[in-house]
Amino acid sequence: MPELPEVETVRRGLEPVLAGRTLVDVRISDSRLTRPHDPLAVAMRLCGNRIVAVDRRGKYLIVRFESGGALVIHLRMTGSLRSAPDGSLPDDTHRRAVVTLDNGSAVAYRDVRRFGTWDLFEPGAVEQYLDDRLGPEPLSGRFTTAVFARALARRRAPIKSVILDQKTVAGVGNIYADEALWRAKIHPLREAAALTDVEVATLRRTIRAALQRGVELQGSTLRDYALPDGEYGGMQNEFKAYGREGEPCARCRTPIEKIKVGGRGTWYCPRCQRSPREAV
DNA sequence: AGGTGGACCCGAACGC
DNA sequence: TGCGTTCGGGTCCACC
């Protein structure tokens, strides 16, 4: 599941491939990808644009054009991008789009579950769109303890749900939420506003540490995620909580438990991360 | 307004 | 073995 580290890894792989190149051919074979817009119309508008940069904000990829416009790609759960330096791509039933560049190379978009999106923006429009949806970048200096504390204040929802809210902090998904809470020794069901100042500071630090480690290991490959060159991430080998039901906690050997929080599978250590009642 | 739960997808895993 | 059912995950949206 692409979260911040996975999307950042994709960005780093794509930037050198795309920057400075012009789109000479764009084929979109899934109408869900661009809806409510006609995929043919989007493909036509993309064609001829010269790419100047590939940026990331939260889990969004931003392909910026010389024109000032931008293509915003969200991979959701199963989207992935694959670059083909010589322009040749193996058959793939889940391929949804292919762009060809002016040097003969190609980039293919694959998405098994078809939740991903490609949205085109006019010059200047993309920042507003992203700022409407996203809080601070967790690895930037803007994500301070004071900013984080303000975002948690008066929130009565479980802390896990609040850090999954992209307005609280951009880019945390189900995996890194569980990993950050495990590192901070905070139970996922704790009421967000009830965290102590020390806990807020600790959780800010562990969110950053978990995401940073994910970036270093080029993300986590579980099923569908892969780098643009086809390689795999390594973060899955360092999971302390996510998906580890019944396995011993890396700190105290207590078996990891699985619960539901806000409808999401949630793994935590029942001993290190005390329950809401015990923790008072 | 903030919180909750369903919809959207579809392959994998599971249950009988 | 085979078939039906359940699960999951990011975001949006309806509802309270």
Side-chain angles (χ1 to χ4, degrees):
Chain A
M1 298 93 225
E3 304 180 26
L4 186 152
E6 289 75 23
V7 179
E8 176 59 22
T9 301
V10 171
R11 189 200 70 74
R12 291 179 183 187
L14 241 35
E15 167 112 72
V17 168
L18 292 179
R21 302 261 66 93
T22 297
L23 299 174
V24 296
D25 188 57
V26 177
R27 292 167 196 242
I28 299 171
S29 54
D30 177 10
S31 63
R32 263 200 69 88
L33 192 59
T34 56
R35 79 176 184 185
H37 304 292
D38 175 25
L40 197 58
V42 172
M44 282 179 60
R45 283 181 60 199
L46 281 168
C47 250
N49 274 288
R50 183 167 183 267
I51 297 160
V52 293
V54 181
D55 293 335
R56 179 195 58 75
R57 178 85 167 83
K59 303 171 195 169
Y60 294 85
L61 271 177
I62 310 162
V63 181
R64 294 189 193 275
F65 301 119
E66 202 165 43
S67 66
L71 170 68
V72 172
I73 297 177
H74 199 301
L75 304 172
R76 297 293 174 103
M77 276 92 68
T78 54
S80 64
L81 288 153
R82 177 69 186 266
S83 93
D86 65 356
S88 72
L89 291 153
D91 288 346
D92 180 355
T93 49
H94 300 299
R95 181 164 301 145
R96 311 298 181 192
V98 179
V99 303
T100 305
L101 308 170
D102 58 354
N103 62 352
S105 70
V107 173
Y109 176 74
R110 166 191 164 88
D111 193 346
V112 173
R113 291 185 199 171
R114 302 168 63 213
F115 272 25
T117 53
W118 281 24
D119 284 311
L120 217 38
F121 286 83
E122 296 294 337
V126 76
E127 310 304 335
Q128 188 63 56
Y129 174 85
L130 295 171
D131 287 343
D132 284 347
R133 287 165 175 73
L134 303 173
E137 280 296 316
L139 300 181
S140 81
R142 308 281 281 273
F143 183 53
T144 62
T145 300
V147 164
F148 189 36
R150 245 193 313 278
L152 301 188
R154 291 179 295 282
R155 294 291 299 267
R156 313 215 51 183
I159 183 60
K160 172 164 176 181
S161 299
V162 174
I163 62 173
L164 284 176
D165 180 346
Q166 301 299 293
K167 292 287 281 180
T168 303
V169 56
V172 176
N174 205 39
I175 292 173
Y176 293 91
D178 283 0
E179 294 301 304
L181 288 165
W182 181 89
R183 288 174 183 233
K185 302 186 185 179
I186 294 171
H187 194 288
L189 283 173
R190 290 279 303 286
E191 182 184 319
L195 265 56
T196 66
D197 291 350
V198 169
E199 286 173 327
V200 171
T202 301
L203 184 55
R204 169 193 169 273
R205 183 169 48 74
T206 63
I207 286 172
R208 289 165 58 94
L211 293 172
Q212 188 57 56
R213 186 62 180 150
V215 171
E216 284 166 15
L217 295 177
Q218 301 186 96
S220 37
T221 295
L222 294 180
R223 197 164 295 140
D224 299 286
Y225 166 79
L227 277 61
D229 62 5
E231 289 298 309
Y232 302 113
M235 182 67 178
Q236 66 280 2
N237 301 319
E238 290 195 9
F239 287 167
K240 308 294 192 201
Y242 184 85
R244 297 193 67 241
E245 183 177 13
E247 295 176 47
C249 170
R251 273 188 303 250
C252 75
R253 316 312 292 173
T254 301
I256 297 292
E257 289 185 6
K258 182 183 184 185
I259 56 174
K260 285 262 189 212
V261 178
R264 298 284 167 247
T266 299
W267 291 266
Y268 73 105
C269 172
R271 180 166 167 186
C272 293
Q273 299 166 265
R274 299 263 190 78
S275 82
R277 232 177 315 156
E278 294 166 337
V280 173

